[in-house]
Amino acid sequence: MSDELYDPVANPYAPGAGTPPPALVGRDQVIGAADVALRRLKSSRTSQHTLITGLRGVGKTVLLGKLAAVAEHVGFRVIRVEAVGGDDTIRSVLRQARRIVDECDAGAKVGRALRSIESVSLTVVGTGVAFERRAGRSDREALADVLVDIAAVAAEQDLGVMVAIDEAQMLDRHDLRRLLAGVHRCGQDGLPLYCVLAGLPNLVGEVARAATYAERMFTVADLGPLTPDQVVQAIVQPAEEIGVVWSSEATEMIVDHSDGFPFFVQTWAYHTWNAATGEPISPADVERAEPNVDQALDSSFFAARIARIPASEVAYVQALASLGPGPHRSGDVAAAAGKSTPQVAAFRDRLIAEGLIYAPRYGWVEFAIPHFDRFVRRALPTQS
Ligand SMILES: Nc1ncnc2c1ncn2[C@@H]1O[C@H](COP(=O)(O)OP(=O)(O)OP(=O)(O)O)[C@@H](O)[C@H]1O
Ligand SMILES: [Mg+2]
């Protein structure tokens, strides 16, 4: 028998990675635009594709998942992958492409699609995509053909294909170029292929570098923090649905503590719910939740990231953190580390590749994780 006022099992909030929130707030415009884009593609009209960018915990994966659900609803088959370094991403794209082709009734275009999947498969070890005769040619460039050919197979069945790639800043630049070439050709041929790429803010630059025309193919949804009203809605609406009331002072406190970052909003709301002792949920309940929130953030969100920083890069991370919330000039970070900019360039580049920091514009850097500067100052104090 528990003595909580509010049942922790019924706690509606969803702190996590890619965990759908009980109220997905502030995204109606992006979702509405995607719905129109998908329907246009289905009726052989052209459309732009979507680039979702933003810092860690801002809701990119959740939005990608929502767009995938919208796509399925209007008759698209979805290829969804999270990019990791190496060939795993392409392996997964090929497997899912093969599955889509297999599920479609044998039409005229199927043989061609299978051949392009095979060409790329032969360049990647261990795709698990089996072919009866392995006599085809091996050609990584055929990745563009894979997209064009499966979109053609889908179109024959009055279906579309959505390619959704999360953490897309991790894609190999050549594979990104090949994929974009495929998306581009689908647009030229009037084929129903919709592409959504999600990643850290530097993804926009990566896409532009991969192909000169690519920028024009995408609408960028740069997700920032939620507005105060949206934070309140994210907290209050799911509670209201089950008859629980929050005081406005309590939600205001979470607006302040979270700075509008969705992951922090969910974490604060979740722990406050579990700590609450009165009706409505009050500022005292928020305060009571604080140690649990700090512990949850430190041990999961922040610690997982800091654990991956090699010792050689810690000094750079500490120097950046010592300057407070960013962005900061690369030169200032180097100076704070007692080094010159060229001396720290390799550390900066590696931290960017690991997704811990990013360059919002040339010559500037910032942590890709909200509030990370505070955490580093707390968890890794510099000896002085
Ligand atoms: N629009 C939203 N409204 C309310 N909560 C949200 C919203 N979007 C995401 N969240 C919550 O924020 C948290 C983080 O979401 P998500 O994992 O999608 O972020 P992300 O940007 O993909 O983070 P990362 O860069 O670490 O992968 C989840 O707990 C999710 O429930
Ligand atoms: Mg994510």
Side-chain angles (χ1 to χ4, degrees), residues 3-67:
D3 56 1
E4 294 97 356
L5 182 60
Y6 300 102
D7 182 1
V9 178
N11 189 327
Y13 304 104
T19 43
L24 181 67
V25 301
R27 308 295 186 229
D28 291 353
Q29 218 187 333
V30 182
I31 296 166
D35 186 52
V36 172
L38 288 157
R39 289 174 197 274
R40 283 181 60 84
L41 289 165
K42 272 296 284 296
S43 45
S44 305
R45 294 197 176 83
T46 59
S47 174
Q48 282 190 307
H49 306 272
T50 304
L51 257 183
I52 303 172
T53 58
L55 301 184
R56 295 280 168 212
V58 84
K60 302 177 294 295
T61 301
V62 159
L63 185 56
L64 187 83
K66 176 70 188 177
L67 299 189

Side-chain angles (χ1 to χ4, degrees), residues 77-78 96-106 110 153 157 159:
R77 293 290 150 83
V78 178
Q96 296 182 57
R98 174 71 199 247
R99 191 203 62 219
I100 290 172
V101 174
D102 287 346
E103 280 168 11
C104 286
D105 300 331
V110 163
V153 168
Q157 316 275 321
L159 295 167

Side-chain angles (χ1 to χ4, degrees), residues 13-27 54-63 166-167 200 223 226 230 234 261-267 301 305 368:
Y13 304 104
T19 43
L24 181 67
V25 301
R27 308 295 186 229
L55 301 184
R56 295 280 168 212
V58 84
K60 302 177 294 295
T61 301
V62 159
L63 185 56
D166 202 359
E167 302 287 349
L200 294 177
L223 307 185
L226 302 174
Q230 289 167 344
F261 282 102
F263 179 72
F264 297 155
V265 173
Q266 297 297 329
T267 304
F301 191 62
R305 262 101 203 198

Side-chain angles (χ1 to χ4, degrees), residues 306-316 318 347:
I306 216 159
R308 295 214 297 263
I309 307 173
S312 58
E313 287 156 32
V314 166
Y316 187 90
Q318 286 170 315
F347 300 130

